[in-house]
């Protein structure tokens, strides 16, 4: 693995545990085993590092959504897959989705990173809106109302449930918070 990738991996892990304000180049230096000056060679500022990290995360999440869609046959299965991505990101309550972690430090972020977070949310909302449109057609999710509102509610639910689970370091909190949503999905 090259140094730049190792830095992005370590920064993402730390940010998903502690948020943007909870890590420094000293933390990365210790995690990767290089001097802080070497980090600045790859990422001159923390803002540049975090923007690159969020862009990479958004692309990776988009790929995961595509995989969920390819591997499922109906909207209910896609919904379970979507919620599962957020469940997996918790790692038992120790971490949260990078977008959620960074959003809580919004006032510390530059415009480029905020734009990446907006792109992440727009991508997720569009994917979910299509999911709920499909659910209205295939009937695999009960009581689907307006797809755009369903998408917004779903995204807010999983991101909020992650914050609650992370605060308590208990993934069961996430499971409990998302149970009613998933109960709407047919088996």
């Amino acid at each position: 693995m090259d140094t730049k990738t190792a830095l992005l991996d370590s920064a993402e892990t730390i940010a998903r545990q502690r948020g943007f304000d909870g890590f420094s180049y000293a933390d990365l230096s210790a995690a990767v085993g290089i001097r802080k000056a070497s980090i600045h060679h790859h990422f001159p500022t923390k803002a540049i590092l975090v923007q690159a990290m969020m862009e990479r995360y958004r692309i990776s999440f988009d790929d995961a959504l595509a995989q969920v869609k390819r591997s499922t046959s109906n909207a209910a299965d896609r919904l379970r897959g979507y919620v599962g991505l957020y469940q997996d990101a918790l790692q038992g309550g120790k971490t949260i989705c990078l977008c959620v972690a960074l959003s809580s430090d919004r006032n510390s972020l530059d415009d480029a990173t905020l734009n990446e977070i907006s792109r992440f949310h727009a991508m997720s909302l569009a994917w979910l809106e299509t999911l709920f449109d499909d659910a209205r057609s295939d009937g695999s999710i009960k009581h689907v109302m307006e797809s755009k509102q369903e998408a917004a509610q779903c995204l807010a639910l999983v991101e909020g449930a992650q914050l609650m689970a992370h605060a308590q370091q208990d993934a069961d909190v996430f499971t409990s918070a998302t149970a009613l949503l998933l109960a709407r999905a047919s088996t």
Side-chain angles (χ1 to χ4, degrees), residues 153-166:
Q153 181 177 355
C154 182
L155 180 59
L157 173 65
V158 295
E159 288 196 354
Q162 268 204 341
L163 285 171
M164 290 173 47
H166 185 61

Side-chain angles (χ1 to χ4, degrees), residues 110-121:
D110 70 336
D111 289 341
T113 302
L114 292 172
N115 185 46
E116 280 300 325
I117 291 170
S118 292
R119 290 179 72 190
F120 180 94
H121 285 140

Side-chain angles (χ1 to χ4, degrees), residues 66-113:
Q67 176 57 34
V68 166
K69 188 168 185 173
R70 280 192 304 273
S71 65
T72 56
S73 60
N74 61 44
D77 289 341
R78 285 200 304 279
L79 179 62
R80 283 188 280 275
Y82 182 82
V83 172
L85 292 174
Y86 279 86
Q87 177 83 38
D88 293 345
L90 275 171
Q91 296 180 10
K94 295 180 180 119
T95 65
I96 52 179
C97 164
L98 182 61
C99 186
V100 174
L102 295 178
S103 292
S104 63
D105 292 328
R106 177 176 176 53
N107 293 333
S108 299
L109 302 175
D110 70 336
D111 289 341
T113 302

Side-chain angles (χ1 to χ4, degrees), residues 15 36 43 59 79 82 101 134 154 166 171 174 182-183:
K36 286 192 289 184
F43 299 101
I59 291 167
L79 179 62
Y82 182 82
D134 292 347
C154 182
H166 185 61
F174 180 88
L182 293 176

